[in-house]
Amino acid sequence: EYGRMLYYQRRFGEAEINLKKAIGLNPFDPNYYATLCSHYYYDRKYSDAFKNCFQAKKIEPNHSQSNKNLHWIYVQQERY
């Protein structure tokens, strides 16, 4: 949760590091992947964003944040 808190405080560099640590400790929580997806999306790293959203959806297929993030990734890449 610390990584997510850092993300929402816009401390993106620290958030990315802590989210990756959280995923290493609990790779079955889709929220960590979805938040990392958001981070990469806003950093315009769409390939990394897509990979993390897809991983969240593999864990929880109807994960709402991942669905929203994927929508915006597709819009940015004009893949609709």
Side-chain angles (χ1 to χ4, degrees):
E1 294 301 316
Y2 183 61
R4 295 181 73 204
M5 181 195 70
L6 290 168
Y7 174 79
Y8 293 120
Q9 291 179 346
R10 305 180 84 56
R11 295 166 58 186
F12 299 121
E14 294 173 83
E16 180 179 5
I17 292 166
N18 282 280
L19 286 165
K20 287 180 178 180
K21 286 180 185 178
I23 289 169
L25 294 171
N26 183 7
F28 303 107
D29 187 336
N31 295 310
Y32 297 138
Y33 292 103
T35 305
L36 198 52
C37 171
S38 295
H39 164 70
Y40 287 132
Y41 172 80
Y42 288 112
D43 204 20
R44 297 182 181 195
K45 296 179 181 175
Y46 300 124
S47 177
D48 291 330
F50 180 82
K51 290 175 191 173
N52 280 280
C53 277
F54 187 73
Q55 187 63 36
K57 288 183 65 58
K58 281 175 50 177
I59 297 166
E60 189 178 315
N62 293 321
H63 192 264
S64 63
Q65 183 182 357
S66 295
N67 287 334
K68 290 175 192 174
N69 289 344
L70 281 172
H71 165 79
W72 288 111
I73 291 168
Y74 286 134
V75 168
Q76 287 298 319
Q77 295 183 327
E78 297 180 356
R79 293 172 54 186
Y80 43 84

